[in-house]
Amino acid sequence: QCRGCRSCPIYEVDKLPPEMMAWPTDARQISHGAKRTIMCGPRHFGFTTTEQGQKISLPSQTIMCNDGAWDQLRLECEQASCRDKQKNGDEEDIDCGGSCDQPCNTCEDGVWNGDETNIDCGGSCPSPCPPARCNLVPIKLLEMHPAYTVTSLTSASLIDPRKIGTRYTVECAPGASLVSGPPVLEVECQNGRFTPDLSGIKCSSPGDASLKPGSTRTELFGQSAEDASCSLQTEDPSNSCCAFRGELRGLMESGCANQIFSEDQGQVQQFCSETAGSCVSRMRDLVNKYVGRTG
């Protein structure tokens, strides 16, 4: 503490330029050591000018009462402009975004946005996106099916299992019977789809006896949503269970399944988004549609 130090005169906040604000607003705090933070108001940016006349960004300035005198106010405020070659106001980058007419370049922000077809590529970005990756949904479904054994022929260290060149073998699981196709089907991701088609092999397990004659569970990939959703059960295809499963399958095939099985962060974030029209919100609406129905 400073013994004998004098208080400062009341800092007349109301006499500040209209583009400036002060905090705290209590003008009675004038004792030695009292502080005021001065800042620029909305749509203004703060700066200070050096002796050489150069403007240096200064968002705010805290002044203090020192033995009867307030620190000199060096802060200046100017209205933000979308043509001043500085990032200020509500701009997202220098002179772009926010209330500026010019949108910012989103092709280098590491986020899937704008008209990009993937993170920072495609659309209006200068870099094209890598070749289309394969939909993993059929592979995932076969992996979960007891009649099939799926083996990856690609290194386990591969980051993206959907990229071009990824290879799998599909064969009947122990105890399952080969209905048609080769004993082992080897497929490879080529330009967005697995070749040859996964429907080239059909296997049947003992639990498939309840299916309609001539069908196997792998036909889920080729049938319509309504037929496929009910090929696993014997009840009336018009009931709510079949209808729900058909709509759910249609929703997943519209792109949602590819997103949730994706190992791409942008795709997964898009799936989980709570915005209207996202997969999560559409699935929630579908569940609410069928809540309480029979079947």
Side-chain angles (χ1 to χ4, degrees), residues 31-50:
S31 60
H32 174 78
K35 295 180 180 180
R36 291 282 188 281
T37 297
I38 314 298
M39 65 196 77
C40 299
R43 291 297 301 152
H44 287 75
F45 68 96
F47 65 94
T48 185
T49 305
T50 65

Side-chain angles (χ1 to χ4, degrees), residues 216-238:
T216 65
R217 294 186 181 182
T218 54
E219 290 178 357
L220 291 177
F221 305 132
Q223 296 175 338
S224 67
E226 291 75 18
D227 288 342
S229 65
C230 290
S231 66
L232 305 184
Q233 53 188 352
T234 57
E235 65 259 43
D236 181 2
S238 66

Side-chain angles (χ1 to χ4, degrees), residues 100-116:
C100 294
D101 294 334
Q102 179 66 33
C104 292
N105 177 16
T106 65
C107 298
E108 298 178 358
D109 58 6
V111 180
W112 189 348
N113 48 23
D115 63 351
E116 298 167 359

Side-chain angles (χ1 to χ4, degrees), residues 47-60:
F47 65 94
T48 185
T49 305
T50 65
E51 294 180 356
Q52 292 76 25
Q54 180 182 6
K55 291 182 179 180
I56 300 177
S57 176
L58 185 67
S60 63

Side-chain angles (χ1 to χ4, degrees), residues 139-182:
I139 291 290
K140 294 293 184 180
L141 290 175
L142 285 177
E143 286 180 338
M144 294 184 291
H145 197 290
Y148 295 88
T149 297
V150 179
T151 305
S152 173
L153 300 180
T154 310
S155 171
S157 62
L158 183 67
I159 296 176
D160 188 350
R162 302 176 300 149
K163 66 184 295 186
I164 285 182
T166 303
R167 294 182 300 134
Y168 294 89
T169 59
V170 182
E171 56 189 312
C172 297
S177 303
L178 179 65
V179 177
S180 63

Side-chain angles (χ1 to χ4, degrees), residues 70-270:
W70 292 99
D71 292 337
Q72 180 183 359
L73 183 63
R74 298 177 291 107
L75 176 69
E76 300 177 70
C77 297
E78 282 188 1
Q79 187 170 3
S81 167
C82 297
R83 296 175 179 82
D84 57 11
K85 301 185 186 304
Q86 298 186 56
K87 181 182 178 182
N88 44 39
D90 62 351
E91 296 172 355
E92 298 171 10
D93 207 337
I94 296 176
D95 295 344
C96 68
S99 56
C100 294
D101 294 334
Q102 179 66 33
C104 292
N105 177 16
T106 65
C107 298
E108 298 178 358
D109 58 6
V111 180
W112 189 348
N113 48 23
D115 63 351
E116 298 167 359
T117 55
N118 210 314
I119 296 177
D120 295 346
C121 67
S124 58
C125 294
S127 300
C129 291
R133 293 171 294 180
C134 289
N135 185 349
L136 275 186
V137 176
I139 291 290
K140 294 293 184 180
L141 290 175
L142 285 177
E143 286 180 338
M144 294 184 291
H145 197 290
Y148 295 88
T149 297
V150 179
T151 305
S152 173
L153 300 180
T154 310
S155 171
S157 62
L158 183 67
I159 296 176
D160 188 350
R162 302 176 300 149
K163 66 184 295 186
I164 285 182
T166 303
R167 294 182 300 134
Y168 294 89
T169 59
V170 182
E171 56 189 312
C172 297
S177 303
L178 179 65
V179 177
S180 63
V184 178
L185 179 69
E186 182 175 328
V187 297
E188 180 177 347
C189 177
Q190 296 180 1
N191 197 28
R193 62 180 304 158
F194 287 105
T195 304
D197 195 274
L198 286 165
S199 61
I201 182 172
K202 287 180 169 53
C203 300
S204 176
S205 62
D208 289 337
S210 61
L211 297 176
K212 59 186 180 181
S215 69
T216 65
R217 294 186 181 182
T218 54
E219 290 178 357
L220 291 177
F221 305 132
Q223 296 175 338
S224 67
E226 291 75 18
D227 288 342
S229 65
C230 290
S231 66
L232 305 184
Q233 53 188 352
T234 57
E235 65 259 43
D236 181 2
S238 66
N239 75 17
S240 298
C241 179
C242 288
F244 170 76
R245 293 173 66 181
E247 287 198 47
L248 179 61
R249 181 177 183 273
L251 174 62
M252 296 300 283
E253 287 188 340
S254 69
C256 291
N258 206 24
Q259 290 177 3
I260 195 59
F261 283 133
S262 170
E263 296 189 12
D264 182 293
Q265 184 178 5
Q267 289 262 26
V268 175
Q269 288 178 344
Q270 187 175 356

